[in-house]
Amino acid sequence: MAGRDEIELIRERADMLEIVSRYVNLKKAGKNYIGLCPFHQDKTPSFTVNPDKKLFHCFGCNEGGDIFQFLMKIERIDFSEALARLAAQTGVPIRRERASPLQKLKELNERVCVYFQTNLVSPAGQRARDYLKQRGFSQEIIEKFRLGYALARWDDLVKRFSDSLEALETLGLALRTKDGSPYDRFRDRVIFPIWSPTGEIIGFAGRSLSDEEPKYLNISNTPLFEKGTVLYGLNFARHAVRDSQTLVIVEGYTDVISAHQAGIENVVAGMGTALTINQAHLIRRYASRVILAYDCDAAGRAATLRGMANLRNVELDVFVALLPIDHDPDSFVRAHGREAFLQILHRAVPFHEFYLQSLLEDHPVETVVGKEKILQNVREFLPTLASMAVRYEIIRELGRVLNLPEEDVARAVKSGKRVGIMAAPGVGEPAWGPEEHLLYFVLQRDLPLSQLRAQLDIQDFTRYPEIARVLWELGDEWTVEQVLDRLSAEDQGVVRRLLLSQPPWRESDRGRAREEALARMRRERVARRLARLREEVRAAEQAGDRERVWQLQEELVQLLQGGRR
Ligand SMILES: [Zn+2]
């Protein structure tokens, strides 16, 4: 198996323009070259190549990637064959081994898993055992999910498997310092192995036992593991799905484990905020109906809605289970038990009802401004739904709650024009909202991350939380490969689009567009905090906690005054 350096060298040396031109007639357009896309029926040239960034992207069908991915897709070959061909063309020598390289990696993962499990039962694993016990996990469930522990040392794994150092790096388990010495990625963390649907270990995640951020650490993409294509626990859950055809989707690893411990086994986790279209296809192979059981905060977020749209678009029946405020499935099962959780699942509401309910909770329907906000939200969301029937269902429900005729709602949803320099998107182009603008400026290296981080938080990026999280993690030293490597296929598409896009303003408006996007994000952030505070005031009032009400109202006033400044 070729190492990362060899792959990097081949990517560097390969003449992307020359190779792509063998299949596509390319014309120069600014810094890019464009042509008719070979991967879909293309009438306008949507296929874009940028030889400097060594990327291609289709604005019509969202295919994209580097030269390896181009060859794999157009010639329908696997990675090792694309590698062999490009190695021959660029004259980069690669080493070859006899056994299947992927098989070797899986075997190493298996050995590493046993190593982590052994750590957990060793004297050094006491704190990890205490943590798992305090979470209420039984010995039996710990063994079923093969939980382990990474020691609080810098190089224990690296030393133990020193004969397989390169493979450890490929698997994302070892990293290197600037001067090249290897060290363990997971330190002082409880380890969750991640399986393929057929039960092979394809990666690991670790939960911090100290204050080290992030709380949950995942490996980046490897030959075995690609973000956004995996569902945690599916290897167990797929057997339980057969009768009911229903899969329950939760957010975190511990949600899955708690549910299984309570005997509810058709439960998996998406391992990220938004479910991707790849995950939706995977689910479709096993189930016809899904119930999303997220905590209240997560369920309402825009990113989650995008995931729900993906599920709907592969014709899954989608329901949303409503958990009480302050509960996730893990804490709920532990506090109230199996029967209560089954009741919650039983009372799950259809997706379109949930969507409208959450809109009505966020915006007062009695006011004109509230109505306009609701219509605008629906206007942006509807195009992401492929099903006419579901779109119609939403319009009809909306007409009912807004007390407007359906035709008027349909027209209002269709005709909305946005004003200012943030124009409405054309077909296949990114919708240029404030998040797209800011990510565009960061990716074009026109806005230092440090400056963005000084003004906004990851949580402010509700459309692209994963992209924001990755950029935050990498800091100002990021490279395009590092960013793409850590993202799901869908988010990779977003990043490529923004890297190769023409923004919707004139060059002379560049500075103004950047300031406007920053200002709009800050305003939306204040609006979200206001909504949350109002919610808390209502809860405190219901609980009769007067002191808390006063305190919250004071915060509310301060926020309102600050927001107007
Ligand atoms: Zn295309």
Side-chain angles (χ1 to χ4, degrees):
M1 168 100 170
R4 280 181 181 245
D5 292 349
E6 287 152 328
I7 294 170
E8 199 47 54
L9 191 60
I10 290 171
R11 189 169 19 227
E12 198 54 45
R13 280 202 198 162
D15 185 343
M16 185 151 194
L17 216 49
E18 195 269 322
I19 295 171
V20 174
S21 295
R22 294 177 203 162
Y23 306 90
V24 184
N25 198 355
L26 292 172
K27 252 193 249 149
K28 193 160 169 50
K31 289 173 193 159
N32 298 329
Y33 289 78
I34 56 171
L36 292 176
C37 176
F39 302 115
H40 82 281
Q41 294 281 345
D42 197 7
K43 296 203 180 73
T44 58
S46 321
F47 183 83
T48 309
V49 179
N50 186 310
D52 298 329
K53 295 184 171 121
K54 304 210 170 280
L55 286 174
F56 76 96
H57 182 77
C58 173
F59 287 85
C61 67
N62 213 31
E63 280 290 359
D66 61 11
I67 189 63
F68 291 101
Q69 279 148 330
F70 179 79
L71 265 194
M72 285 159 70
K73 277 166 193 156
I74 198 130
E75 292 283 354
R76 295 171 195 277
I77 53 180
D78 64 8
F79 179 77
S80 58
E81 183 162 0
L83 179 72
R85 289 192 195 185
L86 286 170
Q89 288 173 26
T90 53
V92 175
I94 48 170
R95 283 159 289 158
R96 288 200 165 270
E97 285 169 24
R98 283 179 154 266
S100 147
L102 290 187
Q103 195 50 43
K104 284 197 157 176
L105 290 175
K106 284 176 191 163
E107 282 163 19
L108 182 58
N109 263 346
E110 178 62 35
R111 279 162 57 209
V112 170
C113 183
V114 171
Y115 156 82
F116 284 136
Q117 286 182 286
T118 313
N119 288 345
L120 182 66
V121 295
S122 76
Q126 184 63 50
R127 276 174 50 246
R129 289 199 298 277
D130 290 346
Y131 165 79
L132 292 170
K133 193 172 172 196
Q134 165 239 320
R135 295 222 69 135
F137 292 156
S138 69
Q139 192 53 38
E140 198 188 343
I141 205 80
I142 289 172
E143 279 165 24
K144 179 177 176 186
F145 280 84
R146 300 187 66 182
L147 305 185
Y149 174 58
L151 300 179
R153 293 193 209 141
W154 281 91
D155 55 4
D156 197 72
L157 175 79
V158 163
K159 277 192 177 140
R160 194 69 60 97
F161 292 88
S162 58
D163 55 333
S164 312
L165 203 51
E166 202 177 334
L168 283 186
E169 275 183 83
T170 306
L171 288 170
L173 290 164
L175 304 169
R176 280 185 193 271
T177 59
K178 281 220 169 104
D179 61 21
S181 36
Y183 64 97
D184 297 355
R185 161 160 282 170
F186 295 111
R187 300 175 305 278
D188 197 19
R189 283 172 184 271
V190 171
I191 299 292
F192 301 78
I194 297 161
W195 289 272
S196 71
T198 50
E200 293 158 318
I201 297 176
I202 52 175
F204 298 91
R207 192 214 186 268
S208 171
L209 283 181
S210 59
D211 294 333
E212 200 195 351
E213 292 287 331
K215 199 155 87 172
Y216 281 92
L217 182 65
N218 292 307
I219 53 165
S220 39
N221 291 343
T222 75
L224 296 181
F225 174 85
E226 192 185 345
K227 259 195 133 148
T229 64
V230 180
L231 292 161
Y232 179 69
L234 185 59
N235 54 316
F236 300 123
R238 67 192 184 115
H239 304 295
V241 174
R242 276 195 202 117
D243 296 334
S244 64
Q245 284 289 305
T246 302
L247 201 58
V248 178
I249 301 178
V250 294
E251 255 197 314
Y253 306 104
T254 54
D255 296 323
V256 173
I257 299 175
S258 282
H260 280 250
Q261 179 163 295
I264 306 168
E265 296 195 330
N266 57 337
V267 179
V268 299
M271 311 199 304
T273 25
L275 290 162
T276 66
I277 190 71
N278 287 323
Q279 286 172 321
H281 282 297
L282 182 60
I283 293 167
R284 194 72 193 82
R285 275 163 49 189
Y286 299 95
S288 57
R289 184 167 176 269
V290 295
I291 303 176
L292 297 160
Y294 294 158
D295 69 45
C296 291
D297 278 358
R301 264 184 255 134
T304 322
L305 286 176
R306 191 156 58 109
M308 294 184 199
N310 281 336
L311 294 172
R312 273 297 325 166
N313 286 343
V314 298
E315 279 158 20
L316 282 158
D317 279 332
V318 182
F319 291 79
V320 182
L322 303 170
L323 286 153
I325 291 179
D326 294 335
H327 267 303
D328 55 35
D330 178 19
S331 66
F332 187 85
V333 170
R334 273 187 288 143
H336 303 288
R338 168 194 160 91
E339 288 310 315
F341 188 58
L342 287 175
Q343 277 303 313
I344 295 255
L345 295 179
H346 188 69
R347 288 200 301 265
V349 298
F351 153 71
H352 65 272
E353 269 180 39
F354 166 80
Y355 168 62
L356 286 174
Q357 267 179 29
S358 56
L359 273 185
L360 296 179
E361 276 164 26
D362 287 350
H363 307 290
V365 66
E366 316 82 51
T367 67
V368 176
V369 177
K371 276 186 185 154
E372 192 42 56
K373 276 264 157 66
I374 291 172
L375 284 172
Q376 189 190 330
N377 194 305
V378 174
R379 194 178 296 144
E380 284 171 14
F381 185 59
L382 276 196
T384 66
L385 289 167
S387 160
M388 277 283 282
V390 179
R391 279 190 277 185
Y392 174 68
E393 194 65 23
I394 287 177
I395 287 175
R396 205 181 53 177
E397 270 296 300
L398 192 60
R400 200 179 58 75
V401 293
L402 295 182
N403 207 8
L404 290 169
E406 274 163 41
E407 309 83 74
D408 289 1
V409 175
R411 206 173 312 125
V413 163
K414 246 188 209 155
S415 70
K417 284 204 181 70
R418 274 179 277 174
V419 286
I421 46 181
M422 292 183 189
V427 176
E429 286 165 25
W432 286 93
E435 284 187 41
E436 283 83 0
H437 274 90
L438 290 182
L439 292 175
Y440 170 85
F441 286 117
V442 170
L443 291 168
Q444 302 291 340
R445 299 198 187 272
D446 204 6
L447 176 63
L449 265 174
S450 43
Q451 193 185 330
L452 190 64
R453 286 157 74 163
Q455 303 197 35
L456 297 168
D457 292 322
I458 298 180
Q459 288 81 5
D460 297 325
F461 289 80
T462 55
R463 285 173 70 88
Y464 307 113
E466 281 298 299
I467 300 177
R469 198 182 56 71
V470 164
L471 287 170
W472 252 247
E473 231 172 74
L474 289 171
D476 275 325
E477 305 268 300
W478 61 273
T479 67
V480 173
E481 276 82 36
Q482 283 175 329
V483 173
L484 292 176
D485 214 28
R486 286 165 169 76
L487 292 172
S488 69
E490 202 174 327
D491 282 335
Q492 285 178 14
V494 174
V495 168
R496 284 194 311 263
R497 248 167 46 198
L498 291 171
L499 275 166
L500 306 185
S501 281
Q502 285 299 319
W505 25 260
R506 280 188 302 276
E507 197 49 37
S508 55
D509 280 335
R510 198 178 179 86
R512 199 150 64 88
R514 189 174 48 209
E515 289 317 308
E516 190 177 308
L518 270 170
R520 203 166 131 191
M521 287 286 278
R522 285 194 302 262
R523 280 201 302 276
E524 285 179 7
R525 164 204 179 102
V526 170
R528 268 196 308 278
R529 282 183 56 199
L530 275 176
R532 203 162 34 217
L533 267 177
R534 290 203 172 102
E535 182 65 34
E536 281 179 41
V537 170
R538 218 173 307 154
E541 274 170 354
Q542 272 171 11
D545 186 346
R546 285 198 178 182
E547 202 162 318
R548 180 93 184 115
V549 171
W550 274 106
Q551 193 189 338
L552 287 167
Q553 281 178 344
E554 220 158 273
E555 272 180 55
L556 202 67
V557 170
Q558 271 173 13
L559 192 61
L560 281 168
Q561 285 168 344
R564 291 224 183 88
R565 210 174 288 150

